[in-house]
Amino acid sequence: MVTVLQSKFGKGLFAIHDIKSGTRILKITGQVISKSEALSLGNLECYPLQIALDKYIAPFPLSNNLWGFANHSCDPNCGIKEDKYLIAIRDIKSGEELFYDYSTTMLEKHWTMPCSCGSPICRNIVGDFDLLPIDIQQKYYKLDVILQFIKSHFFK
């Protein structure tokens, strides 16, 4: 369904064929590590996915965990559902790069990165979910692509 190819961001995840909205694309797997272990990764710190306030899933080796190649966009075509599946949130054409909004998985008060996704709605910085504008938070809530530990803090 997907492959890793060169992207304007280095490497990225690309659709091999058309993918319908709602399709489960990949299962999120990897070793569960602590926040301190994630922080100790240096330049690789950006790869682990936060799944709780102090837990992350590390996608290493990347060759076994292709979800680690999914890049960020402020206008994504994918999201993470049920804390474990990368899903299409709109129809995706063959050859299109897959993106999710990293902010839907972050509530750590530590890591940010400049954004250069190029979308007309680019926020220019990727940060925690609570820093997203309310309308964007609500959009992701309706799409059900916010990790459970974040939902439990904001949507009771």
Side-chain angles (χ1 to χ4, degrees):
M1 188 174 302
V2 297
T3 191
V4 177
L5 297 171
Q6 280 303 121
S7 163
K8 71 178 185 177
F9 304 109
K11 290 190 177 188
L13 205 54
F14 289 81
I16 295 173
H17 55 77
D18 292 352
I19 302 171
K20 293 269 188 215
S21 181
T23 301
R24 287 182 179 174
I25 299 167
L26 290 172
K27 186 171 184 179
I28 308 295
T29 60
Q31 179 183 355
V32 176
I33 62 174
S34 69
K35 183 176 184 176
S36 62
E37 289 171 306
L39 295 177
S40 73
L41 292 172
N43 289 340
L44 299 178
E45 178 190 345
C46 62
Y47 284 100
L49 174 74
Q50 187 178 15
I51 57 169
L53 291 178
D54 188 43
K55 287 185 184 171
Y56 294 71
I57 294 179
F60 306 122
L62 286 170
S63 59
N64 293 341
N65 296 291
L66 296 181
W67 65 267
F69 289 104
N71 287 311
H72 165 83
S73 176
C74 296
D75 189 16
N77 53 14
C78 294
I80 296 178
K81 193 167 186 124
E82 300 171 25
D83 289 2
K84 60 184 170 189
Y85 296 105
L86 183 69
I87 65 149
I89 59 173
R90 65 166 176 76
D91 290 345
I92 299 170
K93 296 285 185 198
S94 178
E96 197 175 336
E97 186 169 2
L98 307 184
F99 298 101
Y100 72 96
D101 189 332
Y102 290 178
S103 294
T104 61
T105 67
M106 296 170 47
L107 194 61
E108 62 183 13
K109 307 295 184 210
H110 168 73
W111 187 83
T112 61
M113 76 174 206
C115 183
S116 57
C117 71
S119 163
I121 61 170
C122 182
R123 299 185 303 270
N124 300 310
I125 188 122
V126 179
D128 290 342
F129 181 81
D130 60 336
L131 301 176
L132 288 173
I134 297 295
D135 61 321
I136 295 174
Q137 289 179 9
Q138 291 171 342
K139 171 186 135 183
Y140 289 138
Y141 179 77
K142 288 177 187 169
L143 289 168
D144 195 22
V145 291
I146 304 167
L147 294 187
Q148 189 58 46
F149 82 98
I150 296 173
K151 277 191 221 174
S152 68
H153 278 80
F154 293 94
F155 302 98
K156 306 209 181 210

